[in-house]
Amino acid sequence: MRASKSPIHAVSTWVRRQPPKVKAFLAVASGITALVLLRFIVHDHDNLFVAAEAVHSIGISLLIYKLTKEKTCAGLSLKSQELTAIFLAVRVYCSLVMEYDIHTILDLATVAATLWVIFMIRFKLKASYMEDKDTLPLYYVLVPCAVLAVLIHPSTSHNILNRISWAFCVYLEAVSVLPQLRVMQNTKIVEPFTAHYVFALGVARFLSCAHWVLQLVDTRGHLLVALGYGLWPSMFLISEIVQTFILADFCYYYVKSVFGGQLVLRLPSGVV
């Protein structure tokens, strides 16, 4: 007699068999459903942005635990950590000169932890660093973001350098995880703490995106006016959406792996 499949396994099997267009529709529908739930559950939507930064900090904490307890950085992308440190440092600068608040303190703590992770990978645990898998050149990410920031940036009254810097950190944050995804694509096997960290990034970026989308809904579009004019408001929102969907596929397989009781995440071909 065949054992009955769990509901989670049955749903994941059905989703996996669907054509790409159906999968895309299901992803968008799931995202909209989650946004609707958050709108009614979380009354102050500014808390979503704080929650996003807190979840990112949790992800960094998992990396610190991995590096200190397991004494290995296998599966981690040094380049993603360097890109993260860059956009966080630029964001802290922008926050200090434009609008100092609680986010500045959270970003300072996160950038300090990220720099420590970079130090550990570069010097203390260099032997376990998978440099041959971390193959995405940094200039592939940095140069397009810099060019885009020069061309499309906020139209506020701040200094032009500060406005370009703000745009640069927004664009860079959206794609800073790409080297980490390349490492996972090359290895196909993701050990638990790395998987937890990347999933935390996915959750953090979804919460950040939800914060801005719900703010847009709450202000009935006036947020776009507050962000400025021209292409910048649209590019800002697109960046938030891109950084959410760029990790959606991984997060799906992560949840499936967790419910399936698998400690090591194995990614099929074509994922990330």
Side-chain angles (χ1 to χ4, degrees):
M1 185 176 178
R2 295 178 61 184
S4 59
K5 295 181 179 180
S6 68
I8 296 294
H9 184 271
V11 171
S12 65
T13 301
W14 179 82
V15 171
R16 191 168 58 250
R17 291 175 178 173
Q18 302 308 306
K21 289 184 179 180
V22 174
K23 289 181 180 178
F25 170 77
L26 291 173
V28 172
S30 299
I32 293 174
T33 301
L35 285 174
V36 171
L37 289 174
L38 285 173
R39 187 183 184 192
F40 290 104
I41 293 174
V42 182
H43 299 292
D44 185 353
H45 296 148
D46 283 336
N47 291 334
L48 291 174
F49 198 73
V50 176
E53 294 181 323
V55 172
H56 188 180
S57 299
I58 291 172
I60 292 291
S61 299
L62 291 172
L63 282 192
I64 292 174
Y65 181 86
K66 169 187 169 70
L67 297 177
T68 54
K69 297 298 181 181
E70 298 189 355
K71 303 296 182 182
T72 177
C73 62
L76 291 179
S77 168
L78 173 62
K79 293 176 180 178
S80 264
Q81 295 304 313
E82 290 172 339
L83 292 175
T84 299
I86 292 171
F87 88 71
L88 282 173
V90 174
R91 193 160 75 185
V92 167
Y93 163 76
C94 292
S95 183
L96 288 172
V97 299
M98 297 171 77
E99 49 176 4
Y100 182 86
D101 54 20
I102 182 63
H103 306 304
T104 309
I105 298 173
L106 292 173
D107 280 341
L108 278 171
T110 306
V111 74
T114 303
L115 290 173
W116 184 87
V117 169
I118 292 172
F119 171 79
M120 292 294 289
I121 296 175
R122 275 197 173 277
F123 302 105
K124 296 295 185 180
L125 303 173
K126 188 176 181 179
S128 60
Y129 170 48
M130 303 168 69
E131 188 174 0
D132 59 321
K133 305 295 184 183
D134 200 4
T135 56
L136 186 66
L138 286 179
Y139 62 84
Y140 278 18
V141 180
L142 289 171
V143 173
C145 289
V147 172
L148 197 58
V150 171
L151 296 175
I152 305 174
H153 50 264
S155 55
T156 60
S157 59
H158 299 94
N159 179 277
I160 181 65
L161 177 61
N162 297 338
R163 287 185 278 144
I164 292 176
S165 297
W166 182 17
F168 175 70
C169 75
V170 168
Y171 298 143
L172 185 57
E173 181 183 13
V175 294
S176 61
V177 76
L178 287 179
Q180 181 63 60
L181 295 182
R182 173 65 68 86
V183 170
M184 296 189 299
Q185 186 181 55
N186 289 337
T187 60
K188 293 300 180 187
I189 297 177
V190 187
E191 58 81 38
F193 282 107
T194 302
H196 298 335
Y197 165 69
V198 178
F199 179 72
L201 286 184
V203 173
R205 293 181 175 184
F206 171 76
L207 291 173
S208 176
C209 180
H211 163 261
W212 290 109
V213 171
L214 292 178
Q215 288 282 66
L216 182 63
V217 173
D218 290 344
T219 60
R220 297 184 179 181
H222 292 161
L223 175 64
L224 294 177
V225 178
L227 289 173
Y229 55 85
L231 293 175
W232 167 247
S234 299
M235 287 300 297
F236 177 85
L237 292 175
I238 289 172
S239 297
E240 291 292 329
I241 294 171
V242 165
Q243 68 176 326
T244 300
F245 279 94
I246 207 170
L247 285 170
D249 207 16
F250 172 85
C251 290
Y252 163 74
Y253 284 99
Y254 173 87
V255 172
K256 178 185 173 184
S257 177
V258 169
F259 279 102
Q262 300 175 13
L263 294 178
V264 177
L265 178 59
R266 298 178 184 273
L267 299 174
S269 299
V271 178
V272 304

